[in-house]
Amino acid sequence: MPINVHREVSVDAIEEQNRIAESLWPRLRERFHTQNKNPLAMVHTFGCQQNVADGEKLKGILAQMGFSFTDSPEQADLILFNTCAIRENAETKVFGNIGNLKQLKAVKPALLIGICGCMTEQPHVVEKLKKSYPYVGFVFGSHSAYRLPSLIQSYLDEGKRVFRVAPDDGCVAEGIPALREEGVKAWLPIMYGCDNFCSYCVVPYVRGRERSRRPERILEEFKELVQAGYKDITLLGQNVNSYGKGLEEGTDFATLLERLNAVEGDFRIRFMTSHPKDCSHRLIDTIAKCEKVCNHIHLPVQSGSSRILREMNRNYDRESYLELVRYAREKIPDVTLTSDIIVGFPGETYEEFRETLSLLEEVKYISLYTFIFSPRLGTRAASLPDPVSGEEKGRWFRELLALQDEIGLEQMRPYIGQTVRVLAEDWGKAGEGLLQGRTESNLIVEFPGPPSLAGQFVRVKVESVKKWALLGNLA
Ligand code: 5AD
Ligand code: SF4
């Protein structure tokens, strides 16, 4: 693959794809008999925000080919599933969706069906697609996403199914136009891949080695987003705290935050995900001093038991995590924290699970993303003895949720009577006549107001709380 030292795909290779994309337009119109209308594509993204950001680029590329977009599979001329492999139920959902297309393809033979993203980087998935889903035309991994035009071209030229799942460690493809959702929130990937190899996690196998975008590229795209009116920009990476490795000396995540914070405008900067092992005091100091960087840290702990953390290969223990939380609270007094938790890691005992509960009581997260352990082929944890039954893990899981519900409410009650600054995002989503938005600390706020306020910063006086949201009125 033509890449330079920054693992960037060469400009020539990207331009070649642009040329192919444009040349496909007349052929696609002819195939779908759309006359003077654009053919329609449906891009369905599963999984995390990184995948959402990839989906926006896939849409950008399809738009270059002349597609408009639909959410309806029946109307679509091209259907692309951008898949997730993180847990078994994510994969089951995707296979269910692919299965449902068999009928559609039978009545609409010109329909193009593609599968991409994390699942396709797993050989057993590719085998299954080859054997059991013959109507899927092209399959490609995230490393090859920028080559979508040439993949579609070879499918059209040769009439044979195309499988492009790269065995390489991945690259950085710059200059691909993203077709973003309208609104005030934007996702901005700053790095790709993961080198941590947590023992339960498939990501390092499907997304390749860690590689960072150059800061100038990020800054340029960031300024474009601010200019375009986005006011809540989330920097994305599997482990943003190791941003900059392999780039010039002195390029790290804290420095990047400082540079972005210096951009003119009224906006907020968020980021995810922070790995506790790499979350330095310097980074916390930087968050504290950069006024546009939100005072919210998503800091996944996964478990409150040091033994389980060791088994998970997380490279921190309960104490060092709690020390980090203490430091963050000291330097950023109004900081809020959220976390990911895995229940039922192989060999976890009920006592060890209770250590997670006690950690929740100590840290007091505002909300959690909670998961029951799901064995992933090829990871170390998948081969460990796992004696606790699914029902038992389900009980632990419900115990965890009940405790977090209480803690979440307890964290929100002190806001009653306070006036908070809210970026109003959606009108009507939380109910007729209601606006929904977020505070800097990532608390959801619902309040009555006109649709014209969506996209603006407003002040809201909090009057009551419910699970996951503060309720109030415009101040
Ligand atoms: N089983 C359950 N949860 C998982 N996660 C990652 N891999 C697994 C797995 N095999 C969770 C972790 C991670 C989040 C994105 O997904 O909590 O932080
Ligand atoms: Fe995102 Fe991981 Fe799912 Fe891929 S496998 S979509 S990186 S959560």
Side-chain angles (χ1 to χ4, degrees):
M1 182 184 308
I3 53 174
N4 62 22
V5 287
H6 295 107
R7 309 195 63 90
E8 272 179 25
V9 178
S10 71
V11 175
D12 286 351
I14 298 284
E15 281 178 357
E16 188 196 353
Q17 294 302 316
N18 292 344
R19 274 195 301 277
I20 298 175
E22 279 158 30
S23 74
L24 285 175
W25 193 350
R27 281 180 80 180
L28 290 167
R29 281 189 167 198
E30 196 183 307
R31 178 182 176 98
F32 302 122
H33 306 292
T34 48
Q35 275 91 27
N36 45 16
K37 279 205 308 248
N38 288 346
L40 292 176
M42 179 183 111
V43 178
H44 187 142
T45 292
F46 300 80
C48 65
Q49 303 318 336
Q50 183 67 56
N51 236 26
V52 173
D54 289 353
E56 293 175 341
K57 292 216 173 104
L58 292 164
K59 278 183 151 182
I61 299 174
L62 289 168
Q64 279 181 319
M65 286 185 220
F67 281 97
S68 294
F69 296 92
T70 176
D71 290 331
S72 144
E74 287 77 24
Q75 283 180 8
D77 300 301
L78 179 147
I79 296 177
L80 187 55
F81 287 138
N82 182 24
T83 65
C84 170
I86 196 102
R87 282 170 292 276
E88 196 181 352
N89 57 5
E91 288 196 1
T92 314
K93 226 193 284 174
V94 170
F95 278 121
N97 275 271
I98 306 173
N100 291 341
L101 296 183
K102 188 174 177 186
Q103 289 284 324
L104 208 57
K105 177 76 180 171
V107 292
K108 212 172 155 181
L111 175 67
L112 293 177
I113 301 175
I115 313 293
C116 64
C118 294
M119 269 171 76
T120 66
E121 301 285 355
Q122 303 179 102
H124 71 278
V125 170
V126 174
E127 274 319 297
K128 191 164 166 179
L129 289 170
K130 279 189 176 156
K131 264 203 359 234
S132 310
Y133 300 89
Y135 47 92
V136 169
F138 50 100
V139 175
F140 58 98
S142 44
H143 306 319
S144 312
Y146 77 97
R147 312 198 48 195
L148 178 58
S150 63
L151 300 179
I152 293 187
Q153 184 182 44
S154 42
Y155 181 68
L156 296 178
D157 284 350
E158 288 155 35
K160 279 202 297 227
R161 309 173 72 195
V162 178
F163 287 84
R164 172 103 195 178
V165 278
D168 64 67
D169 283 345
C171 53
V172 175
E174 293 290 358
I176 297 179
L179 200 73
R180 292 187 159 88
E181 290 285 315
E182 282 182 14
V184 282
K185 275 159 77 163
W187 311 109
L188 178 52
I190 62 166
M191 60 193 298
Y192 305 96
C194 180
D195 286 353
N196 293 318
F197 291 93
C198 300
S199 63
Y200 50 81
C201 189
V202 77
V203 173
Y205 303 94
V206 296
R207 289 230 169 222
R209 300 288 56 77
E210 238 167 56
R211 50 217 187 267
S212 295
R213 294 180 68 192
R214 283 196 271 169
E216 311 84 72
R217 303 273 198 195
I218 297 169
L219 195 61
E220 194 184 341
E221 191 173 347
F222 187 89
K223 285 181 181 162
E224 283 167 14
L225 292 174
V226 172
Q227 284 254 303
Y230 289 100
K231 294 194 171 93
D232 188 301
I233 302 172
T234 304
L235 312 176
L236 294 177
Q238 298 300 337
N239 177 9
V240 289
N241 301 333
S242 60
Y243 171 77
K245 277 188 201 152
L247 296 180
E248 295 73 17
E249 278 290 300
T251 309
D252 65 6
F253 187 53
T255 325
L256 180 71
L257 282 181
E258 282 167 0
R259 289 179 72 176
L260 300 178
N261 188 66
V263 171
E264 288 286 312
D266 194 11
F267 57 82
R268 290 171 171 169
I269 305 171
R270 301 188 187 276
F271 57 87
M272 65 193 293
T273 296
S274 281
H275 194 307
K277 81 175 164 62
D278 299 311
C279 185
S280 63
H281 285 190
R282 187 168 104 76
L283 176 64
I284 289 174
D285 296 344
T286 307
I287 300 169
K289 80 171 184 226
C290 290
E291 74 289 355
K292 290 171 184 157
V293 176
C294 290
N295 54 13
H296 161 235
I297 313 177
H298 182 60
L299 196 63
V301 67
Q302 313 296 356
S303 163
S305 149
S306 292
R307 187 190 78 82
I308 294 295
L309 289 170
R310 219 166 30 249
E311 288 292 307
M312 288 177 163
N313 193 31
R314 291 290 286 175
N315 282 302
Y316 56 85
D317 60 14
R318 179 187 174 101
E319 255 327 296
S320 57
Y321 183 90
L322 288 172
E323 191 283 324
L324 194 59
V325 169
R326 276 193 290 275
Y327 188 81
R329 293 224 187 270
E330 181 191 320
K331 296 289 161 172
I332 318 169
D334 55 352
V335 73
T336 54
L337 296 163
T338 51
S339 191
D340 295 348
I341 304 283
I342 297 180
V343 172
F345 184 84
E348 185 178 32
T349 62
Y350 184 63
E351 283 62 42
E352 286 166 334
F353 164 69
R354 288 190 56 84
E355 291 185 60
T356 300
L357 298 184
S358 74
L359 182 126
L360 300 195
E361 302 202 68
E362 218 169 317
V363 177
K364 302 208 186 291
Y365 298 104
I366 52 162
S367 60
L368 290 180
Y369 297 88
T370 47
F371 312 100
I372 292 184
F373 170 75
S374 167
R376 305 283 61 214
L377 201 68
T379 62
R380 200 176 71 81
S383 60
L384 295 174
D386 191 3
V388 176
S389 70
E391 294 86 74
E392 183 68 13
K393 290 185 184 184
R395 277 194 289 276
W396 299 2
F397 189 71
R398 288 189 293 278
E399 197 175 339
L400 178 89
L401 295 188
L403 175 64
Q404 179 55 36
D405 283 352
E406 274 174 41
I407 295 174
L409 277 173
E410 188 191 314
Q411 294 311 293
M412 295 202 295
R413 278 195 202 102
Y415 287 89
I416 296 177
Q418 284 190 32
T419 298
V420 289
R421 187 165 185 255
V422 178
L423 176 57
E425 288 164 25
D426 298 294
W427 187 84
K429 191 174 162 193
E432 190 61 36
L434 285 181
L435 282 148
Q436 188 181 65
R438 276 168 201 270
T439 64
E440 181 190 342
S441 47
N442 216 24
L443 293 163
I444 298 173
V445 186
E446 294 173 7
F447 54 98
S452 58
L453 288 184
Q456 296 193 33
F457 285 104
V458 293
R459 300 187 72 74
V460 175
K461 176 139 192 251
V462 179
E463 262 129 43
S464 59
V465 297
K466 66 171 188 186
K467 200 165 147 184
W468 297 317
L470 306 174
L471 309 175
N473 280 302
L474 285 165

